[in-house]
Amino acid sequence: MTVDFNGIGNSQVNNPRTSTDKGAASKQPAQQPPAEQAKSQAPAARGENVNLSKQAREIRQMGEKLESAPEVDDSRVEQIRAALADGSYKVDAEKVAQKMLEMDKSIFG
């Protein structure tokens, strides 16, 4: 039984090409990748509407606000640097310990 895949028969599999074969093949138009063929064969897209829920719109707006906000509060960093420099920065050890325990609980349950 002979199987022909895309016009390739048994006589064409694993046979070296001659210079005349290569020249003839280079004159053939290049084939498009499958994705490009699908795009060119697909019917023209028609206008479709998408309606987002109120919650989806709010989430999108929050994401846009987050993207525009700076990652670091520069004014707060300057306040802490100044307090460290003049010795007025005080650390509340109990508050730090409590936050560490909360973080541990959130990670390990």
Side-chain angles (χ1 to χ4, degrees):
M1 177 173 150
T2 303
V3 179
D4 184 14
F5 292 104
N6 298 325
I8 299 174
N10 284 339
S11 63
Q12 296 169 324
V13 177
N14 292 329
N15 289 336
R17 293 183 138 188
T18 63
S19 60
T20 56
D21 291 340
K22 290 179 186 175
S26 65
K27 292 178 185 176
Q28 294 176 352
Q31 289 211 353
Q32 295 177 336
E36 292 297 320
Q37 286 178 345
K39 286 180 186 176
S40 65
Q41 293 173 356
R46 57 191 162 95
E48 295 186 19
N49 294 328
V50 176
N51 294 319
L52 300 177
S53 68
K54 181 181 176 187
Q55 185 179 21
R57 286 191 301 269
E58 289 173 354
I59 291 172
R60 187 184 73 213
Q61 289 172 348
M62 283 189 268
E64 290 170 356
K65 286 180 184 178
L66 282 173
E67 287 177 0
S68 65
E71 288 187 34
V72 177
D73 185 356
D74 293 329
S75 63
R76 180 72 177 136
V77 171
E78 279 305 312
Q79 288 175 349
I80 294 172
R81 280 188 182 155
L84 285 169
D86 66 19
S88 64
Y89 186 79
K90 302 293 181 213
V91 176
D92 184 354
E94 285 188 34
K95 191 174 180 181
V96 171
Q98 185 61 39
K99 291 291 183 179
M100 290 174 71
L101 289 172
E102 289 172 10
M103 186 176 72
D104 185 56
K105 187 176 181 179
S106 72
I107 294 172
F108 300 109

